[in-house]
Amino acid sequence: MRVLVVEDERVLADAIAEWLREETHAVDTAHDGAAALERLAVNDYDVVVLDRDLPVVHGDDVCRELVASESAARVLMLTAAAEIGDRVAGLSLGADDYLAKPFAFAELAARVLALGRRARPAAPPVLRRAGITLDPARREVFRDGRYVPLSKKEFAVLTELLRANGAVVPAETLLEKAWDENADPFTGVVRLTVLKLRRKLGEPAVVLTVPGVGYRIP
């Protein structure tokens, strides 16, 4: 999934981003509300982890803008205020979930994953196609019963291809979903990752290239 973390405490923002990257998500960060709105205007996110008390543009206003834009992104609002009234206020703005600080990173990651499932078309807990079985919860992949060890990016790319259910997935979509905004689209990282993924999955090749369009698993 593509996640935007908006948190003015840079150490905390970096820690959240690193934890979510360990969960194979592509993560961008912003440290004020204005920067968040800039990223939201140019990138499609599945989930936005949004601190409520932000400088420049308040988190409430960021949430309002996001809802008004009819974005499919789900919002997990963070705040140091844990009172019921504060939670109700945050949810009434359009946030999908609410987490008070301090929080456990594992709980935040679980909430992000749950919101991500709601932001996208429903998919079965375990993805299966062409002899491949991918279990997102256990981070395991098997082909014809053989365990296939994958890197985080390979796992993320394979997940997107399996979710497409046989349709072609453009390289641009894979870049957007599996890498963050620092990825250079001209480096060929998607092509190289797909090559490595093919090699690990073994013969016969199951990830097909559709010239000039993208990749698919028939």
Side-chain angles (χ1 to χ4, degrees):
M1 293 188 300
R2 186 80 178 267
V3 181
L4 176 63
V5 175
V6 191
E7 167 60 62
D8 62 319
E9 295 181 35
R10 292 175 181 263
V11 173
L12 178 57
D14 291 344
I16 294 172
E18 185 60 29
W19 187 281
L20 293 176
R21 289 181 184 123
E22 287 295 320
E23 298 291 315
T24 75
H25 305 311
V27 185
D28 299 330
T29 58
H31 303 297
D32 62 67
L37 290 173
E38 289 176 2
R39 285 166 173 75
L40 288 165
V42 297
N43 297 314
D44 291 327
Y45 293 100
D46 297 295
V47 178
V48 179
V49 179
L50 179 65
D51 182 37
R52 192 175 182 192
D53 190 16
L54 291 171
V56 186
V57 177
H58 196 274
D60 288 358
D61 294 320
V62 173
C63 189
R64 289 190 186 96
E65 288 282 342
L66 188 60
V67 172
S69 71
E70 298 184 350
S71 168
R74 302 293 182 172
V75 177
L76 172 58
M77 188 168 278
L78 303 179
T79 181
E83 298 297 325
I84 295 297
D86 294 300
R87 298 184 185 185
V88 171
L91 293 171
S92 68
L93 293 169
D96 299 279
D97 199 0
Y98 198 99
L99 189 59
K101 300 177 182 177
F103 52 80
F105 285 111
E107 181 182 2
L108 182 142
R111 288 174 181 258
V112 166
L113 183 59
L115 289 176
R117 292 195 186 105
R118 291 167 54 191
R120 311 172 73 177
V126 175
L127 300 171
R128 293 184 175 89
R129 191 172 188 86
I132 299 170
T133 300
L134 183 148
D135 188 332
R138 292 186 172 87
R139 299 288 189 272
E140 291 180 342
V141 173
F142 294 85
R143 182 170 188 195
D144 297 327
R146 174 180 61 88
Y147 175 69
V148 182
L150 297 180
S151 70
K152 295 173 186 175
K153 296 305 181 188
E154 292 161 358
F155 189 94
V157 167
L158 181 59
T159 300
E160 293 299 321
L161 292 172
L162 290 173
R163 285 185 62 92
N165 199 29
V168 177
V169 182
E172 293 80 5
T173 299
L174 294 175
L175 186 69
E176 178 181 299
K177 294 298 184 182
W179 282 266
D180 60 29
E181 63 184 358
N182 297 314
D184 185 345
F186 301 106
T187 59
V189 291
V190 173
R191 181 178 60 83
L192 291 174
T193 301
V194 169
L195 286 174
K196 293 177 182 178
L197 180 59
R198 281 198 188 109
R199 189 178 305 120
K200 290 184 178 182
L201 289 173
E203 297 295 336
V206 70
V207 181
L208 305 183
T209 300
V210 181
V213 182
Y215 305 92
R216 65 185 292 259
I217 296 177

